Amino acid sequence: GSGKTPGCGIIERVGGVWFWVFVGPALVLAAVSLRGEGRRLDWVRTRLNALQRSDWPQATVIVPVKGHDEGLAENLGALASLDYSNYELIVAARLATDIPPGVVPPGARVVLAGASDPDTGEKIANLLAAVAAARPESTVLAFADSDGRPQPGWLKALVLALDQPEAAAATGHRWDFPKRASWESLARRVWNAIIAGGFGPGAPFAWGGATAIRREDFAALRIADYWRGHVSDDWRLTHAVRDSGRRIAFAPGAMVAARDSTGWSGFLEWATRQLILTRVHEPKLWSLSAFATTWYCASMVVCIRAGLEGNPVGPLCLAAQIGAGTWKSWSRLRLARVPFPEESGWLRRWGWSQLALVAPVTWVWLYTHAASAFRSTIRWRGNRYRLSRAGAKRL
């Protein structure tokens, strides 16, 4: 006899051993990624309907500004008109010239950090100066980014999430609704939706564009010490919360709309910077993501090659793999509709891109993983930094 078992013969007839070595795990990963999507959507809807509280603590909202962002005046205006009875808005910058004329809304305070430790990221230096200047009666500190536009209930959602058991911080994330829907901006939306769609009952990290923490916890967890000498405010705050044994609560009502557009170079630089920061601060997470992305793309290549060689199993497995990704993208579209009903028109017009671009953007993920694999230097808002887990060095 040939010495082959009947099982091996079947495998070879439907693609070969190496085909299934690559494609089998990719199909399993794709199927596993679909678990819990319905429960996630139900949980988000429940939390959005829970914005009820008899009293709201006084709060300070801090937004750092460095130059012009598309829609900056409107974004700051949204932060100045939140549905919250007692809060102050601080616009923080290193120099007055960093704030474009006419964008600071009435009633907002401007805090200038001035010169600071050169190895502390400029954004963190601005945040620290604003925290020190926050009014004494504020018991909650909330942080926003200048390129996002929150909804009126943004601050309430963050404060309410702080009431969850063991929560030391609360966070949201961003959904992209670019006003000028270029291919690059739509691709960035799909790239970023993979991250935003992973938030649910637990938050994997605190996102700096929508985070709140009680003032007493900011001091007790030594957030300022974690920040000094570093660039990433969100990863360092995440580490401080984890080191304390507490958790970060996700607030679906604190999701932020990003309406700015981008070009290919800007998108790829931004995405690569996100992964460099992740590799430096969360190497295990970066490695897991890089491994899964590489395997997924390799499986696609193997399926295409099998199809070109006349094996019908290859196209079928490729369709199953892409189909699972498309279904997950559809789930992310449903998630985006819940906190942003006013964006239904945008989603009707451009929602197809979330489905059509999921496979191509997987390759963008592969590129950005490769681009971030051996780099520790980033450019951010005009400054260059060399990063390490121990700290940053401005170049």
Side-chain angles (χ1 to χ4, degrees):
S2 65
K4 297 180 181 179
T5 65
C8 288
I10 293 172
I11 289 175
E12 289 187 359
R13 284 196 298 274
V14 296
V17 174
W18 286 109
F19 176 89
W20 290 108
V21 165
F22 281 98
V23 176
L27 292 175
V28 171
L29 285 173
V32 169
S33 71
L34 298 177
R35 292 188 309 172
E37 289 301 313
R39 291 192 299 273
R40 190 196 308 273
L41 181 62
D42 291 340
W43 183 87
V44 166
R45 286 171 172 158
T46 300
R47 291 301 303 174
L48 284 174
N49 292 328
L51 295 180
Q52 302 295 327
R53 181 174 170 155
S54 58
D55 63 317
W56 298 94
Q58 297 189 50
T60 294
V61 175
I62 298 169
V63 53
V65 171
K66 172 72 171 182
H68 176 72
D69 287 306
E70 186 178 341
L72 177 60
E74 293 82 358
N75 296 344
L76 296 180
L79 286 167
S81 56
L82 299 172
D83 179 19
Y84 201 90
S85 58
N86 198 344
Y87 77 102
E88 65 167 347
L89 175 62
I90 294 180
V91 177
R94 180 173 180 267
L95 302 171
T97 52
D98 290 334
I99 305 175
V103 299
V104 178
R109 281 204 291 145
V110 173
V111 171
L112 302 178
S116 61
D117 173 15
D119 294 333
T120 295
E122 190 171 315
K123 178 184 180 183
I124 287 180
N126 295 341
L127 293 176
L128 289 172
V131 168
R135 61 185 185 181
E137 57 268 29
S138 288
T139 60
V140 171
L141 302 171
F143 306 102
D145 280 345
S146 58
D147 58 355
R149 196 168 306 172
Q151 295 178 297
W154 178 83
L155 185 53
K156 283 185 176 180
L158 287 172
V159 170
L160 194 68
L162 288 175
D163 291 337
Q164 294 183 32
E166 299 300 317
T171 193
H173 206 267
R174 59 181 275 166
W175 286 108
D176 292 84
F177 302 99
K179 188 174 181 180
R180 291 182 289 109
S182 63
W183 283 109
E184 307 96 299
S185 298
L186 293 173
R188 183 184 63 179
R189 183 185 198 279
V190 177
W191 192 98
N192 194 59
I194 294 174
I195 303 173
F199 282 71
F205 58 89
W207 179 62
T211 291
I213 186 170
R214 296 181 184 88
R215 197 172 196 161
E216 61 181 3
D217 286 330
F218 187 92
L221 273 58
R222 301 183 298 110
I223 302 298
D225 293 336
Y226 273 79
W227 276 353
R228 291 190 184 96
H230 287 271
V231 170
S232 178
D233 55 310
D234 34 25
W235 277 122
R236 292 297 292 169
L237 190 147
T238 298
H239 293 162
V241 172
R242 289 180 184 168
D243 291 347
S244 73
R246 297 172 68 186
R247 59 184 287 265
I248 300 164
F250 174 49
M255 296 298 281
V256 173
R259 294 187 170 87
D260 59 314
S261 303
T262 186
W264 281 115
S265 61
F267 165 41
L268 294 176
E269 180 184 5
W270 170 83
T272 301
R273 183 172 67 243
Q274 308 312 308
L275 289 184
I276 291 173
L277 289 165
T278 302
R279 184 179 59 79
V280 169
H281 293 284
E282 290 287 312
K284 290 183 179 179
L285 177 62
W286 182 93
S287 297
L288 179 62
S289 177
F291 174 80
T293 302
T294 303
W295 201 286
Y296 194 89
C297 290
S299 172
M300 292 174 68
V301 172
V302 170
C303 287
I304 292 172
R305 180 177 176 179
L308 293 175
E309 292 175 349
N311 190 329
V313 177
L316 289 174
C317 289
L318 180 64
Q321 189 175 341
I322 294 177
T326 304
W327 180 262
K328 194 168 180 69
S329 289
W330 175 251
S331 297
R332 295 181 190 126
L333 272 178
R334 297 172 68 199
L335 274 175
R337 286 190 179 97
V338 176
F340 295 104
E342 69 278 8
E343 299 293 345
S344 59
W346 191 99
L347 290 169
R348 279 195 301 270
R349 184 176 184 184
W350 299 108
W352 59 267
S353 65
Q354 183 79 48
L355 310 180
L357 294 178
V358 60
V361 169
T362 302
W363 290 90
V364 177
W365 268 93
L366 182 66
Y367 168 82
T368 50
H369 274 111
S372 65
F374 304 105
R375 287 176 53 191
S376 297
T377 301
I378 64 169
R379 183 182 298 275
W380 197 355
R381 298 280 183 169
N383 297 306
R384 291 179 67 240
Y385 304 93
R386 180 179 295 115
L387 308 179
S388 71
R389 185 68 181 262
K393 178 71 176 178
R394 184 175 295 181
L395 303 176

